[in-house]
Amino acid sequence: MNKIIALAGVVIKELYRRKDFYVLFVLTALLTVAAGAVNFFHDDKIVRYVKDICLLLIWVSALVIAIVTTARQIPAEREARTIFPLLAKPVSRGQVIAGKFLGCWLATGVALLVFYFFFAVITGSREHLWPWAVYFQAAWMQWVMLAIVIAMVVLGSIYFAAPSSTSTISFIVVVGILGIGSHLKVIALQQPEPMQFILTAIYFLMPHLEWFDLRDFVVYDQSLVSWSALALATGYAAVWTGIFLMLAWLGFRRKNLTT
Amino acid sequence: MSAILKTEKLRVEFKSTEFRQAVKVALHGLDLEVNAGEVFGFLGPNGAGKTTTMNVLLGFVPATSGTASLFGIDVRQPIARQRIGYLPELTYYYKFLTADELLRFYAKIFGLTRAETDRRIPELLKLVELEHAAKRPIKSYSKGMQQRVGLAQALINNPDLLVLDEPTSGLDPLGRMKVREIIQRLKNEGKTVFFSSHELGEVETVCDRVAIVHQGELKTVGSVADVSAGSVNLEQAFLKIVGVQSQPLP
């Protein structure tokens, strides 16, 4: 485990020393602060609308950080050839995969923590409400959803040499799942065979990232999701993360890194 | 003497990326043994299979058939690399880290204790004369300094076997001398050094034994004196073995 933590530490160090990370981070924080501070005519509904925009911004920024950061990890190691002195040490390729995943996931978690803290402070200062448990549940669910995304991107980065290809394909897949994931079953029922079967199969075989979206709970009713449902969703995310990481390891373990 | 680096009938094939092209055989059943405590020079012209052999030994490339082991452990097991140090030909390190951070990272990978790491890093930085730049990012280093960081990271675990790929390539005469001094020092400490080089004069100076590979096959192995027997020097012997006759200048 120490080796995986050491590898994750290098990923985090690289992230906080890169300028592009700060640009996105500061931009999101500023937009969150600015949007959250707006209060049109003391209309509660407009405040909710602004909160919705802020949360959407947090979702987009967290996805950008997670996907872009993860997509370049393994290809950058191969391109800069830093993978060679690393693998010449007593570290397995599985540990490299796990370390890269952990580093990206922890870094994204830190970014989420800061985003939600800003969001809570700004909205709390307007509404004088501090539903910390709701915010925790929303942030937690987003973070475990990002674990699936990061593991999926790690898998993509094993097969696509260019980080840009991995990022683009990952964005399309993630946005696709988030956008139509929950409607796919309904769409399938409206299709003739064999399309109906194919879409139904996809619905049951894909990771349902949209299940982790608790934005409506934060913006509208501010009620808590049952903790058992939260635990179940966390388990679901762990299974999908494990599947993607296992596939990434299978692809990486016998890969000839010199070509 | 016991062999701490061993390959048996090692064969490596690379699939061609072009459609319907034949596979390229990089190594044809290489048998090699390096004994504990010796400095072993691994020689051959470009494309002979030296780097492929090293890549298999370090786990970068899987062997098609045959076996390779370090300290009696199959090289496919990461633990086989616990007692080795590796210096690549060029500097491939995380340039956003400082030398101190890089060495600490590799020390963690080797499972060194905090106390051991704190003791080892200043020693190594002193050895490679980088104490003054230890807290600067590697990207700000000159090429020579980066190569010296490489040497320090190769020695972080106090290895029993040092694998050096063209260790003096691109170094100035002072850098070369430093590398030779370190190889000599390691030899005196009873360590094993396995290195590839095109600098045959250098090989002659520091090596106990040499192997010459050509077109993926082991052509000869023995002491420098044995391999050079019948030739003026190692360079002439090398050229004869790989089938090139040196022409006198007009």
Side-chain angles (χ1 to χ4, degrees):
Chain A
M1 193 62 194
N2 284 345
K3 292 175 186 178
I4 294 171
I5 292 169
L7 283 156
V10 170
V11 174
I12 294 168
K13 273 199 183 89
E14 186 199 7
L15 264 179
Y16 72 68
R17 284 175 189 174
R18 280 179 71 100
K19 289 186 178 69
D20 54 351
F21 176 72
Y22 285 104
V23 171
L24 188 65
F25 198 84
V26 171
L27 196 69
T28 308
L30 279 176
L31 287 171
T32 307
V33 170
V38 174
N39 191 350
F40 299 100
F41 314 114
H42 300 283
D43 184 337
D44 282 352
K45 284 178 184 167
I46 290 177
V47 172
R48 281 178 186 173
Y49 179 65
V50 171
K51 280 168 72 177
D52 207 2
I53 293 173
C54 288
L55 282 172
L56 178 67
L57 205 62
I58 290 173
W59 266 70
V60 172
S61 298
L63 274 176
V64 171
I65 291 171
I67 292 175
V68 173
T69 303
T70 312
R72 69 163 178 260
Q73 289 302 318
I74 305 274
E77 286 266 7
R78 291 184 66 185
E79 194 183 334
R81 303 176 79 83
T82 47
I83 194 82
F84 296 122
L86 176 61
L87 288 178
K89 312 277 184 289
V91 63
S92 69
R93 294 189 186 197
Q95 286 168 325
V96 172
I97 295 275
K100 294 293 181 189
F101 164 79
L102 186 65
C104 293
W105 191 48
L106 289 177
T108 313
V110 172
L112 269 186
L113 202 67
V114 176
F115 289 152
Y116 271 90
F117 180 74
F118 268 118
F119 176 78
V121 168
I122 297 302
T123 55
S125 68
R126 290 288 164 194
E127 292 184 325
H128 304 290
L129 282 171
W130 307 91
W132 289 111
V134 176
Y135 292 158
F136 169 76
Q137 285 193 338
W140 174 261
M141 289 290 268
Q142 192 177 350
W143 195 38
V144 295
M145 183 277 294
L146 287 170
I148 304 176
V149 173
I150 289 168
M152 189 169 71
V153 179
V154 169
L155 172 63
S157 70
I158 302 298
Y159 293 99
F160 301 109
S164 55
S165 321
T166 311
S167 298
T168 309
I169 292 166
S170 302
F171 270 118
I172 292 169
V173 171
V174 170
V175 171
I177 292 174
L178 288 172
I180 61 162
S182 57
H183 311 295
L184 200 61
K185 209 175 163 190
V186 180
I187 297 168
L189 290 172
Q190 296 164 354
Q191 305 299 315
E193 291 291 358
M195 204 49 151
Q196 187 179 20
F197 174 78
I198 293 168
L199 290 180
T200 309
I202 292 172
Y203 176 82
F204 283 107
L205 289 174
M206 73 181 188
H208 284 275
L209 304 178
E210 76 280 4
W211 291 352
F212 297 85
D213 187 354
L214 297 188
R215 281 179 295 161
D216 287 351
F217 285 81
V218 176
V219 177
Y220 299 106
D221 50 14
Q222 301 205 329
S223 61
L224 281 174
V225 176
S226 79
W227 292 100
S228 55
L230 205 76
L232 208 63
T234 305
Y236 176 82
V239 169
W240 271 107
T241 304
I243 290 169
F244 284 131
L245 290 179
M246 178 67 79
L247 292 172
W249 172 71
L250 286 173
F252 192 52
R253 69 182 178 142
R254 298 283 289 168
K255 203 171 182 76
N256 178 356
L257 299 173
T258 59
T259 52
Chain B
M1 275 196 188
S2 58
I4 60 169
L5 184 160
K6 193 173 180 181
T7 67
E8 280 181 303
K9 297 183 173 51
L10 190 66
R11 183 179 177 88
V12 176
E13 294 173 359
F14 292 115
K15 283 179 191 158
S16 174
T17 50
E18 286 178 31
F19 184 62
R20 298 184 76 171
Q21 290 292 305
V23 292
K24 183 183 180 297
V25 182
L27 288 176
H28 299 262
L30 184 77
D31 290 311
L32 198 65
E33 282 192 11
V34 177
N35 299 317
E38 68 180 353
V39 177
F40 193 96
F42 195 46
L43 315 176
N46 289 333
K50 303 188 299 294
T51 303
T52 303
T53 308
M54 284 199 173
N55 286 344
V56 172
L57 289 168
L58 296 165
F60 308 154
V61 171
T64 308
S65 63
T67 60
S69 63
L70 295 169
F71 302 98
I73 303 168
D74 191 313
V75 293
R76 288 174 295 182
Q77 306 291 325
I79 196 68
R81 299 186 284 279
Q82 181 66 37
R83 290 162 63 192
I84 72 162
Y86 166 60
L87 178 67
E89 182 183 353
L90 298 171
T91 55
Y92 308 132
Y93 309 107
Y94 303 102
K95 298 210 166 35
F96 54 89
L97 295 181
T98 65
D100 184 77
E101 287 170 340
L102 184 83
L103 295 177
R104 281 185 191 282
F105 166 59
Y106 286 140
K108 277 185 197 160
I109 296 287
F110 277 110
L112 266 61
T113 62
R114 182 72 182 263
E116 210 175 346
T117 306
D118 288 342
R119 184 183 57 78
R120 193 100 184 107
I121 289 176
E123 273 177 19
L124 289 172
L125 289 172
K126 190 177 174 194
L127 178 75
V128 298
E129 296 166 9
L130 280 177
E131 307 114 298
H132 63 287
K135 303 287 179 193
R136 268 170 44 200
I138 294 170
K139 66 183 168 200
S140 68
Y141 288 10
S142 68
K143 190 179 173 187
M145 287 166 83
Q146 290 188 19
Q147 197 72 359
R148 282 185 274 153
V149 171
L151 205 49
Q153 66 80 30
L155 298 170
I156 187 72
N157 58 329
N158 194 15
D160 291 319
L161 167 65
L162 205 59
V163 178
L164 311 173
D165 189 5
E166 305 277 355
T168 55
S169 164
L171 288 184
D172 62 17
L174 277 173
R176 284 164 189 247
M177 192 183 75
K178 191 81 199 168
V179 170
R180 273 201 299 271
E181 272 176 21
I182 289 169
I183 292 173
Q184 197 59 50
R185 208 191 78 168
L186 291 167
K187 184 183 173 181
N188 295 341
E189 288 173 10
K191 310 282 188 189
T192 312
V193 181
F194 177 76
F195 77 103
S196 70
S197 181
H198 288 298
E199 302 289 335
L200 298 182
E202 187 176 273
V203 170
E204 228 168 349
T205 314
V206 297
C207 286
D208 299 310
R209 286 201 306 146
V210 295
I212 297 175
V213 283
H214 184 43
Q215 294 175 338
E217 287 174 8
L218 184 67
K219 295 295 179 186
T220 186
V221 61
S223 68
V224 174
D226 288 345
V227 172
S228 310
S231 301
V232 181
N233 54 25
L234 185 62
E235 186 174 26
Q236 290 297 318
F238 174 85
L239 291 172
K240 200 188 290 180
I241 288 165
V242 300
V244 177
Q245 294 299 319
S246 60
Q247 300 291 322
L249 288 171

